[in-house]
Amino acid sequence: MAKIKPSKGAPYARILGVGGYRPTRVVPNEVILETIDSSDEWIRSRSGIQTRHWASDEETVAAMSVEAAGKAVADAGITAEQIGAVVVSTVSHFKQTPAVATEIADKLGTAKAAAFDISAGCAGFGYGLTLAKGMVVEGSAEYVLVIGVERLSDLTDLEDRATAFLFGDGAGAVVVGPSQEPAIGPTVWGSEGDKSETIKQTVPWTDYRTGEVSKFPAITQEGQAVFRWAVFEMAKVAQQALEAAGIGSDELDVFIPHQANERIIDSMVKTLKLPESVTVARDVRTTGNTSAASIPLAMERLLATGEAKSGDTALVIGFGAGLVYAATVVTLP
């Protein structure tokens, strides 16, 4: 019986570089108030959001991804030709096929890198990071580009008082490569499909195509149910990720949760009993909820502003539609 030759990958994997792209148009709450009955104070108190970015026609999912990915590749100190795989997490690329990852891989100038999209909502970056770690350690790619990108303005119902103010556009990317020591911890991830109705697309595309509905599909959610789930259940998942990595909360430098809502972030910090010394990402204030892009965008901003530094230990957790979640501890590039 023939024996398959074992794979020869790296001992461990790490994030080597990070990049982000935010559309040029900045949209304050005042613009949102033109279509819903609310107030700037109400939006800020309920979500922490002051502004968000909305993409122009030219700022496509692919175009934003290429900008963010180019910065991540440069930050990692490698060339695009060295990228062996491109993983793109998005729910707002409206072509079912081909995967937008293939277009991005080509425009970046990779040497025919493997390329595919995943759909895991706001947990998508964590899912992609886990896949990338596996590829590097298994040996199927030396360097993997993970991109979270959304144009959620295309899926926002501006007349829905519960969600019109939440969503923004943007792209965040990281390069994952070989490491001689652990720098991406075990992932604690999962799904709770029995709660899938709490965050969903209003109607299937087929209903819009056949004329059963005239309003373009949008994202809707049951705000209170999502809030309770995120606050109580995701704090447990975050704690499990710390324990899986063998890290105590007093050893943590940075906390980068999905930027869904600042009240959720505050509640998680309190439940986890994080020390005041821990830097907490609050990119939601000026970027809004960018789903799969929110964690890498927040990571990029913390490093750019000096609020976090290379080598810091960070807990990252994403959670959203599905309901799905993914949490891990990483060493920042």
Side-chain angles (χ1 to χ4, degrees):
M1 182 181 294
K3 292 185 178 181
I4 296 174
K5 184 179 179 180
S7 300
K8 292 184 178 180
Y12 306 102
R14 69 183 303 117
I15 298 175
L16 298 173
V18 60
Y21 180 82
R22 294 171 176 80
T24 55
R25 183 187 176 192
V26 177
V27 180
N29 288 338
E30 285 73 18
V31 172
I32 307 298
L33 297 175
E34 293 173 4
T35 52
I36 61 171
D37 180 18
S38 188
S39 68
D40 177 61
E41 190 279 330
W42 187 90
I43 293 173
R44 291 186 187 222
S45 66
R46 291 302 182 101
S47 67
I49 298 172
Q50 303 166 22
T51 61
R52 74 284 292 147
H53 295 256
W54 283 356
S56 65
D57 290 343
E58 291 74 29
E59 291 168 316
T60 62
V61 165
M64 292 191 293
S65 296
V66 169
E67 289 291 331
K71 294 176 184 177
V73 170
D75 191 45
I78 65 170
T79 64
E81 290 86 350
Q82 292 175 272
I83 297 292
V86 178
V87 183
V88 178
S89 178
T90 185
V91 298
S92 49
H93 175 59
F94 292 151
K95 286 185 179 179
Q96 190 69 38
T97 192
V100 71
T102 58
E103 179 183 349
I104 295 165
D106 177 63
K107 288 184 175 179
L108 282 173
T110 67
K112 299 182 180 179
F116 58 95
D117 298 350
I118 59 175
S119 176
C122 305
F125 175 74
Y127 276 47
L129 186 64
T130 303
L131 293 173
K133 172 187 173 182
M135 285 185 245
V136 171
V137 173
E138 187 270 339
S140 58
E142 185 176 12
Y143 299 101
V144 180
L145 181 63
V146 180
I147 302 169
V149 56
E150 301 293 2
R151 273 184 53 124
L152 293 181
S153 58
D154 291 334
L155 286 168
T156 299
D157 180 353
L158 292 177
E159 296 179 347
D160 181 358
R161 189 173 184 271
T163 60
F165 60 90
L166 287 176
F167 303 120
D169 303 336
V174 300
V175 172
V176 177
S179 174
Q180 293 303 307
E181 59 184 28
I184 301 175
T187 301
V188 178
W189 58 352
S191 65
E192 298 186 31
D194 59 316
K195 300 179 180 65
S196 62
E197 290 295 301
T198 55
I199 307 175
K200 64 179 182 179
Q201 184 172 304
T202 48
V203 294
W205 298 114
T206 48
D207 286 3
Y208 182 74
R209 182 187 67 187
T210 59
E212 292 182 48
V213 295
S214 58
K215 199 169 187 176
F216 195 75
I219 296 173
T220 185
Q221 68 176 30
E222 298 174 15
Q224 288 302 313
V226 172
F227 182 89
R228 288 192 298 270
W229 176 77
V231 168
F232 296 109
E233 298 303 320
M234 291 305 96
K236 297 176 186 176
V237 171
Q239 183 60 50
Q240 290 168 13
L242 287 172
E243 293 170 358
I247 300 292
S249 60
D250 59 334
E251 299 175 279
L252 198 63
D253 299 308
V254 184
F255 180 42
I256 311 177
H258 166 47
Q259 302 294 292
N261 180 307
E262 193 166 28
R263 290 172 63 209
I264 292 176
I265 295 171
D266 289 340
S267 295
M268 291 183 73
V269 168
K270 183 177 180 180
T271 302
L272 288 168
K273 298 179 180 179
L274 296 182
E276 290 187 8
S277 59
V278 175
T279 297
V280 180
R282 299 184 186 279
D283 195 44
V284 66
R285 293 173 178 172
T286 55
T287 306
N289 181 345
T290 55
S291 188
S294 79
I295 290 175
L297 277 174
M299 182 184 296
E300 183 259 355
R301 173 162 283 173
L302 289 177
L303 289 167
T305 60
E307 295 174 80
K309 62 183 185 298
S310 174
D312 278 352
T313 300
L315 169 63
V316 299
I317 178 170
F319 45 85
L323 294 170
V324 293
Y325 53 87
T328 189
V329 176
V330 303
T331 300
L332 294 181

